[in-house]
Amino acid sequence: LGTGHGITLGNQLRRILLTDLGGQAISAVRVTGITHEFSTLPGVREDSLAFFLNLKKIIVKSKTNSKNIQFGRLKVQGPVVITAGLIELPSDLIILNPEQYITNISTSNIVEMEFKFEYGTGYRLSNQDLSKTEKNYYQLDYILMPIKKWNFRVRNVYEPVRSKTLCLNILTN
């Protein structure tokens, strides 16, 4: 690359990867017995707010990038530690971190949950979601971009045959 082109190219790649790539995420959850974000369930260690924050850490991938809303379910009886790997998903969704902790049930209670998965780009706040027509669903803030952190570095590369050129190193997490 010529002088100054590395930064221009790196910035454009960063903008595309952080804003234009789409992904799947849990956008809403319905839990039997929870009516609002400060409810508690008997036998469940965390309150609802901590539970919902744990759900936001689940990383979901779609095999087909379907833009349709999809639903997953979970029904377990305690005592058990609930992780993301216990969620029953549609055939084209995969949870990339099945060991992600959700909550802990210390009694023999049955917990039922239904998850709403949506496809999109960027970041959505729960109050920006226009599909609040479903009753008993708690809307979550969710990140839809598959790349969370991206950076680049431009450095000089010297070759004995050529004069000074630039090399673009791409670092992703």
Side-chain angles (χ1 to χ4, degrees):
L1 300 174
T3 304
H5 293 166
I7 292 174
T8 303
L9 183 61
N11 259 341
Q12 293 306 315
L13 284 173
R14 180 184 61 81
R15 287 177 147 213
I16 289 169
L17 290 175
L18 291 178
T19 60
D20 293 341
L21 290 181
Q24 293 274 354
I26 298 174
S27 62
V29 63
R30 178 174 57 190
V31 181
T32 304
I34 292 181
T35 56
H36 56 82
E37 65 183 307
F38 301 111
S39 295
T40 58
L41 285 174
V44 176
R45 179 176 291 173
E46 290 82 11
D47 62 352
S48 300
L49 192 56
F51 164 75
F52 293 140
L53 289 173
N54 289 337
L55 288 178
K56 290 171 62 172
K57 297 176 186 175
I58 296 175
I59 302 170
V60 181
K61 179 182 177 184
S62 174
K63 295 177 190 173
T64 61
N65 285 337
S66 171
K67 294 184 175 27
N68 296 331
I69 295 174
Q70 300 182 45
F71 293 90
R73 288 169 180 65
L74 175 73
K75 183 176 182 178
V76 293
Q77 182 174 4
V80 68
V81 175
I82 299 177
T83 60
L86 297 174
I87 299 173
E88 298 172 17
L89 296 172
S91 60
D92 70 325
L93 291 181
I94 301 169
I95 292 181
L96 297 179
N97 56 344
E99 71 286 345
Q100 172 60 46
Y101 174 79
I102 297 176
T103 191
N104 189 0
I105 304 172
S106 60
T107 62
S108 62
N109 291 349
I110 295 175
V111 175
E112 287 185 71
M113 301 176 215
E114 187 173 32
F115 304 94
K116 181 178 169 185
F117 296 93
E118 290 191 44
Y119 178 85
T121 59
Y123 181 82
R124 301 236 175 88
L125 298 173
S126 60
N127 60 3
Q128 291 176 332
D129 196 357
L130 300 177
S131 62
K132 289 191 176 187
T133 57
E134 296 97 2
K135 294 202 173 207
N136 301 326
Y137 272 92
Y138 179 76
Q139 303 294 323
L140 300 174
D141 299 337
Y142 53 104
I143 300 172
L144 293 162
M145 53 191 141
I147 296 178
K148 310 283 189 247
K149 187 177 179 182
W150 197 85
N151 197 2
F152 68 94
R153 178 179 57 223
V154 178
R155 62 183 175 93
N156 290 329
V157 176
Y158 295 99
E159 295 179 13
V161 178
R162 293 185 174 158
S163 62
K164 183 170 119 178
T165 60
L166 294 174
C167 176
L168 179 66
N169 288 334
I170 299 173
L171 310 168
T172 60
N173 289 340

